[in-house]
Amino acid sequence: MTSLPVRGRRAEQERLTQWVRRHVHRNGGGVLWIEGAVGAGKSRLLACAGNEAALAGARVLTGAAMAGGPMTPLAPLLDALTVEGDDFAEDLSTRARQEHASYRVLREVSARLRELTRDRPVVLLLDDVHDCDDLTLLALRTLSTQLAGLPLLWVLTSRAHPDGPAVQSLRRDLFSRQATQLELPPLAPEAVRQMTQDLLGAQAAAAGPYLRYLDGLPGTVRQLCAYLQDVSPTDPCGPAGPAEVREVLTWLVTRRLDQLTGDARELVLIASLLGDSFTVQHLSQVLARPEAALLAPLSEALAARLLHAGDDRLSFSHSPLREAVAGTLPRPVRLSVRRRSVEVRLKAGVPTVSVAADLIGAVEPGDAWAARILRNAAQELAFVAPGTAARYLAHAVQLIQDICPERQRLSAELLPLLWQTGDIAEARDLAREVVQAPPDPVTYAQVCLELARMGSQFVVQQPEAHVRHVHRRRDVPVSLKDQLLSITMLNRLLTGEVEEAGGAVAESLMRTRGVHPVGELTHRTLQSMSAAHRQNWADAVRHAEAAAAGIAHLDPAQAAALPEVALTTSWRASLLSLSGNGQDARDLVEDGLEEAQQHGRQALLPLWHTAHARLLLEAGRLAAVSRELAAGEEVTRATGLAFTGEATALYIRANVAFHTGDDAGIDACAAQAATFLESGTPQQRRSGAWITLLTSVYREEELTRHQLMLALHHLRHGFLHAAVVDPGDAALLVRVALASGFPQVALAAVEFAEYRAQRNPAFPLFAAAAAHTRGLLDGDLARLTDAAEGYGSTRPLLGAQAWEDAGALLTAGNAAEARACFGRALDRYESCGAERDIRRARSRLRKMGIKPAAGTVASDAGWRGLTPSELGVVRLIAHGATNRQAAERLFLSPHTVNTHVRHAFEKLGIRSRVQLARLYLQEVDQPAEVAS
């Protein structure tokens, strides 16, 4: 046994050396108890104590207990007393096996020790006292007391927290008599690193990935280094691969498990399958053993530092170590224990959602009980965590391998979750499977309802026939039929089929009875959009508010997952904006967008992004509009979603390109508009006609009367998907019709705008649009200025256009007033970032001899690589605005403002708002005295 010290044990070694030398030199006696975890280095320090004692002139006696070996009474102590050529110990060992001779044997051992201490001090080293037999422990307890006056030093080592009653009693008795304790804590990480360097030399880097799993135990460090030397890695300095890491960790845990007793090993193995943390009670129930019976093996596992005890739970120190322990068990055992663990937790009242994850990968196909558990968990999570719910339910479907009614019902429940989370391909296959072989009429009707909710996501043969078939079934609840009919008709309205449907909408409104809350709000939305088509906007708002009241009575989590609710909310937000409540509308949509993002409702994101982009366009926030559209497009590309509001998105994109001067964007919109004009969907044809008008005006191309009439049809429809047609579009059509030489088309547009305003006096935007169109047709300055003021701050782009039209009318007669009108238009264009309109307004002013000052958009655009949107946020932040205040002033969400601020910090290389303000004010917005 070598006496070399262990790295990181310098303090313990010095204390040990001083204790031994002091007692030997003084011919004194005493007891030193060294304890620590398995592999803590107790045996090496015991050898060190022996070397020091020998150097000091003492006689050194050495013995050790054997774990699991033959339990010969007094064997460790007798081994220590053995002298070469002496049959004393062998004779005593034979007699010690006789129970009646124990007392006499102890007397002879005592006499032997007295004899050995006559000529010089004796140091008796006894290793692993916790494994000693009861007679040896009794002898240690008795002899250390009887021989206390002799120059006899007892140096004993024991595992920390020994579990045997006899050894615990010995420990307590020794400490009560002033025994000295030397506890060996884990080595510091640096000491472990130095130790591997000592043992492996140039190969020390190979041990790096495993050092944190050694728990600072020098014995385990030696074992690892010996193993790494044996396996001889081809590239000891290179990184270890996953397979190699798993192999070494498995070897490590196997060695550490081998050092445990059978009960402790079983406890650790079972515990490795219970997760990263668990309670003693749960472990007891899984093992089917009382908690009291676990105290000894649990203490052993804790002492070995394989398990750690928290306030109320046990855990492994490292997850990879736990996984390596679990990996030593055969798969059938792992599955059985994990399933048993789930059963115990469920029986104890743990919620299903808390145990469902443990079943995945722990059950075999055909396990109907596990499928039910996963289904219950999915139902609880469906509206709050659809991604997790889909994963649980998909696994439940896989457990039921054969096509059967139960599997089909599970598939029907899984279908909307897959669509919601954007897994379109799997949802499409599942929908086809269930529709072809429905398990029962109700499930079939439910699947038809989900397909209708998904709009155009799936190609289902003869969808109208499916709807009629459901309505003929008497065993399908009326509420389900109601919802199916309502959402089907809502889809027809959204795609623009209201004209082709003829009396179908009115008929459906009478047939749907609102017997289900969701069906009732869909029914109200149908009525609202139908009223909007008839230009009865007061009724449209009234029905939309009633639908909103219905949503308020639904479970919020359930409501947020329903496409009907999202469409209803988006439509209501558009009506709020039309009524002049733009901020309330944006708040409504931003809340829906945030909820969908937080819960992973990918299918609803394109709708929310498009609705938000439309509201931002109305507010004149062109840069923010582009970002919202890009975010929605990214979702559709990533998931393969087919967005039914694509026509609305194209309308918004074309308007942004029209006002910003984006040639490439206009070309792309024109190409898509041509495709839309050939579409079989009325919504896309109307959108295509209007985009064609915009792109032709942009390119200064001639327009035919037919093209203008198609654009007029777009205005008269009232809505595009789930958004109101912008009232100001009528002014653009009049302007273009007059310029193209078709005054009759212009007159038709004016008459429509005036009819709409007259019928809806509570909507100032309609009145402003009517004044604008009549002013353009008649050349009436007063009406144009009334329109500009009527648009107010809610429609800055429309207001700018009205001021520009007024300036154009005044150009020949009153130059001063014309310049004032153009100036007002320029201010509004600049606030919106409408670069093309800005250039045109500047050109008009220059022709009148005025050189306009550089506006804020042009003066600091591109500063230090910031985008115009980021600059807008930075400008407000630099002047003292909070993020929320900046969001309100720029009509953005707080999340978007936070993102812009973070990007600005990164680009400018700064870390605080103070630095941001100082830098911006110095370089962009200098005070007057500094600039001069």
Side-chain angles (χ1 to χ4, degrees):
M1 184 182 294
T2 180
S3 60
L4 292 177
V6 177
R7 287 280 190 178
R9 291 278 185 252
R10 184 173 180 177
E12 291 84 354
Q13 184 184 1
E14 289 180 352
R15 183 181 173 193
L16 173 66
T17 299
Q18 292 173 1
W19 188 88
V20 171
R21 288 176 180 173
R22 182 172 62 253
H23 284 73
V24 170
H25 290 161
R26 295 178 180 177
N27 280 334
V31 178
L32 175 64
W33 180 280
I34 303 175
E35 70 178 18
V38 176
K42 301 184 295 295
S43 298
R44 292 181 65 82
L45 277 181
L46 192 68
C48 181
N51 288 338
E52 291 296 333
L55 290 174
R59 185 192 303 274
V60 178
L61 307 177
T62 303
M66 292 181 59
M71 301 300 292
T72 301
L74 288 177
L77 193 56
L78 296 178
D79 287 344
L81 294 174
T82 299
V83 179
E84 187 175 354
D86 188 355
D87 59 359
F88 171 80
E90 182 178 352
D91 179 57
L92 283 185
S93 176
T94 302
R95 292 161 56 191
R97 293 189 182 94
Q98 304 172 11
E99 185 176 353
H100 64 276
S102 299
Y103 176 71
R104 290 194 297 273
V105 169
L106 286 179
R107 287 183 60 187
E108 294 191 35
V109 169
S110 175
R112 177 72 166 182
L113 288 172
R114 290 177 185 275
E115 178 184 350
L116 292 175
T117 59
R118 286 175 184 170
D119 57 343
R120 53 178 169 159
V122 172
V123 176
L124 197 153
L125 311 177
L126 199 56
D127 203 6
D128 292 336
V129 171
H130 53 273
D131 288 325
C132 286
D133 60 281
D134 288 350
L135 186 56
T136 301
L137 295 173
L138 176 61
L140 292 174
R141 186 175 181 180
T142 303
L143 296 174
S144 62
T145 302
Q146 292 178 350
L147 307 178
L150 300 178
L152 174 61
L153 303 183
W154 303 83
V155 183
L156 314 175
T157 71
S158 170
R159 181 181 300 160
H161 310 294
D163 52 0
V167 70
Q168 289 176 354
S169 176
L170 171 65
R171 185 177 183 274
R172 286 194 302 268
D173 185 64
L174 293 177
F175 287 159
S176 69
R177 290 188 279 113
Q178 306 303 314
T180 301
Q181 181 182 15
L182 182 60
E183 188 171 359
L184 303 184
L187 296 182
E190 179 60 22
V192 172
R193 188 194 66 77
Q194 291 176 351
M195 188 174 175
T196 58
Q197 185 68 41
D198 294 340
L199 295 171
L200 292 178
Q203 291 184 324
Y210 316 106
L211 297 186
R212 66 192 182 103
Y213 303 120
L214 304 180
D215 291 321
L217 301 175
T220 309
V221 175
R222 286 194 184 85
Q223 292 173 359
L224 171 67
C225 292
Y227 176 80
L228 293 177
Q229 286 176 325
D230 290 341
V231 298
S232 300
T234 55
D235 183 12
C237 297
E244 183 181 347
V245 171
R246 285 195 298 271
E247 179 183 348
V248 176
L249 285 181
T250 300
W251 181 86
L252 276 173
V253 301
T254 301
R255 296 285 298 180
R256 296 181 69 175
L257 289 172
D258 288 344
Q259 295 172 329
L260 301 177
T261 62
D263 287 346
R265 187 183 308 113
E266 178 191 12
L267 182 144
V268 172
L269 287 170
I270 298 302
S272 69
L273 302 172
L274 304 184
D276 290 330
S277 67
F278 50 91
T279 64
V280 175
Q281 181 185 29
H282 182 56
L283 181 61
S284 167
Q285 292 170 339
V286 172
L287 288 168
R289 295 171 60 186
E291 293 182 30
L294 301 183
L295 293 180
L298 184 56
S299 297
E300 186 179 350
L302 290 170
R305 300 185 62 81
L306 283 167
L307 294 179
H308 292 265
D311 292 337
D312 57 352
R313 301 181 71 83
L314 300 169
S315 65
F316 282 79
S317 54
H318 310 284
S319 291
L321 202 63
R322 179 186 65 78
E323 294 166 3
V325 173
T328 62
L329 289 168
R331 174 177 167 78
V333 175
R334 295 200 302 271
L335 296 182
S336 176
V337 172
R338 286 174 178 166
R339 194 181 192 281
R340 166 68 177 158
S341 174
V342 172
E343 291 174 348
V344 166
R345 293 166 68 189
L346 287 174
K347 187 176 180 180
V350 176
T352 305
V353 295
S354 299
V355 302
D358 295 336
L359 278 178
I360 295 181
V363 289
E364 298 284 5
D367 193 331
W369 175 84
R372 287 194 299 273
I373 297 299
L374 291 170
R375 180 188 190 183
N376 292 339
Q379 289 174 339
E380 291 185 42
L381 294 172
F383 301 116
V384 293
T388 303
R391 184 163 61 93
Y392 291 167
L393 204 51
H395 197 75
V397 171
Q398 293 171 4
L399 291 177
I400 304 175
Q401 295 177 308
D402 298 330
I403 302 296
C404 62
E406 182 61 23
R407 176 189 170 97
Q408 296 298 76
R409 292 187 186 98
L410 290 177
S411 298
E413 295 176 20
L414 175 59
L415 180 60
L417 294 174
L418 292 175
W419 174 78
Q420 223 182 118
T421 54
D423 197 345
I424 301 305
E426 186 175 351
R428 183 181 294 112
D429 294 341
L430 205 61
R432 187 179 299 112
E433 174 187 308
V434 178
V435 169
Q436 289 176 351
D440 56 73
V442 174
T443 302
Y444 172 70
Q446 188 64 51
V447 171
C448 288
L449 173 61
E450 297 301 341
L451 291 175
R453 283 171 168 163
M454 297 169 195
S456 62
Q457 297 295 318
F458 305 97
V459 178
V460 181
Q461 298 297 325
Q462 298 179 329
E464 299 291 343
H466 286 290
V467 174
R468 288 194 297 271
H469 178 70
V470 168
H471 276 273
R472 284 197 299 267
R473 299 288 309 211
R474 294 184 178 180
D475 44 8
V476 174
V478 173
S479 61
L480 190 54
K481 295 179 181 180
D482 178 19
Q483 292 181 76
L484 177 58
L485 181 59
S486 296
I487 191 64
T488 301
M489 294 313 303
L490 181 58
N491 285 340
R492 296 187 66 184
L493 277 174
L494 293 174
T495 56
E497 296 178 7
V498 62
E499 297 91 348
E500 288 77 357
V505 172
E507 179 186 350
S508 69
L509 293 178
M510 290 190 301
R511 289 171 59 191
T512 56
R513 284 172 273 181
V515 295
H516 189 279
V518 178
E520 171 64 18
L521 70 89
T522 310
H523 176 91
R524 288 289 191 177
T525 304
L526 278 166
Q527 291 177 308
S528 178
M529 299 188 80
S530 180
H533 178 65
R534 300 192 308 273
Q535 301 303 317
N536 189 347
W537 293 95
D539 278 357
V541 170
R542 179 170 58 83
H543 289 302
E545 293 301 325
I551 294 175
H553 288 90
L554 298 176
D555 182 329
Q558 179 181 4
L562 297 175
E564 298 100 308
V565 172
L567 287 166
T568 295
T569 305
S570 176
W571 170 246
R572 177 172 173 251
S574 189
L575 290 174
L576 282 172
S577 181
L578 179 69
S579 304
N581 299 321
Q583 186 58 56
D584 290 345
R586 287 188 292 276
D587 289 343
L588 200 61
V589 171
E590 286 172 5
D591 288 346
L593 177 59
E594 183 178 4
E595 196 281 339
Q597 289 172 329
Q598 287 180 348
H599 294 89
R601 307 189 201 282
Q602 298 293 311
L604 298 180
L605 289 179
L607 171 68
W608 289 122
H609 280 301
T610 302
H612 196 208
R614 177 59 190 271
L615 295 173
L616 292 170
L617 174 64
E618 293 172 353
R621 309 307 306 166
L622 297 180
V625 173
S626 298
R627 287 193 299 275
E628 287 297 321
L629 288 176
E633 290 167 0
E634 177 61 29
V635 174
T636 57
R637 281 194 301 269
T639 61
L641 286 163
F643 178 38
T644 55
E646 186 181 15
T648 306
L650 179 63
Y651 169 89
I652 299 168
R653 194 179 306 113
N655 272 277
V656 173
F658 183 84
H659 289 292
T660 58
D662 181 0
D663 294 341
I666 283 291
D667 291 342
C669 290
Q672 193 170 359
T675 303
F676 276 14
L677 285 170
E678 302 299 324
S679 169
T681 304
Q683 174 188 237
Q684 291 191 340
R685 289 198 299 271
R686 287 193 303 273
S687 176
W690 186 257
I691 306 308
T692 299
L693 172 73
L694 278 178
T695 56
S696 297
V697 172
Y698 185 94
R699 296 167 169 175
E700 299 181 357
E701 298 172 345
E702 292 186 0
L703 286 159
T704 66
R705 186 177 185 279
H706 176 67
Q707 289 175 315
L708 293 172
M709 291 303 295
L710 288 176
L712 178 61
H713 184 55
H714 159 77
L715 295 179
R716 287 173 170 169
H717 187 74
F719 58 87
L720 184 63
H721 195 245
V724 175
V725 170
D726 197 308
D729 284 351
L732 175 60
L733 179 57
V734 171
R735 192 183 302 113
V736 174
L738 291 174
S740 302
F742 295 103
Q744 292 180 338
V745 177
L747 177 60
V750 171
E751 290 175 345
F752 166 72
E754 291 178 336
Y755 165 78
R756 182 177 58 188
Q758 182 181 6
R759 190 170 186 186
N760 301 280
F763 293 83
L765 277 177
F766 289 148
H772 196 172
T773 57
R774 178 57 70 177
L776 286 170
L777 182 64
D778 296 346
D780 189 329
L781 178 63
R783 288 182 182 272
L784 291 175
T785 56
D786 287 347
E789 293 173 354
Y791 289 132
S793 61
T794 60
R795 294 290 195 276
L797 277 174
L798 294 179
Q801 291 167 358
W803 283 119
E804 187 178 0
D805 289 335
L809 190 62
L810 287 166
T811 300
N814 190 332
E817 287 294 326
R819 286 194 295 269
C821 289
F822 289 144
R824 293 188 183 97
L826 178 59
D827 288 343
R828 286 162 177 75
Y829 286 140
E830 286 183 335
S831 70
C832 297
E835 296 291 346
R836 177 171 175 268
D837 299 321
I838 291 169
R839 291 194 296 270
R840 187 178 63 251
R842 288 179 180 278
S843 176
R844 288 181 181 275
L845 287 169
R846 281 194 295 270
K847 287 178 182 179
M848 301 184 72
I850 301 237
K851 184 178 181 181
T856 55
V857 172
S859 64
D860 57 2
W863 175 61
R864 287 181 171 251
L866 268 62
T867 65
S869 303
E870 291 165 350
L871 280 168
V873 173
V874 165
R875 184 181 304 111
L876 293 176
I877 298 298
H879 286 87
T882 64
N883 284 16
R884 179 161 293 279
Q885 289 170 339
E888 292 173 353
R889 293 180 62 179
L890 295 173
F891 306 105
L892 300 174
S893 69
H895 173 75
T896 301
V897 170
N898 291 340
T899 301
H900 289 335
V901 172
R902 186 175 68 254
H903 289 170
F905 278 14
E906 293 171 356
K907 292 180 180 180
L908 299 175
I910 58 178
R911 296 184 178 180
S912 71
R913 297 164 68 92
V914 174
Q915 291 176 300
L916 176 66
R918 184 184 302 118
L919 189 62
Y920 181 84
L921 294 175
Q922 286 176 350
E923 297 187 8
V924 179
D925 194 10
Q926 297 180 356
E929 59 272 16
V930 176
S932 61

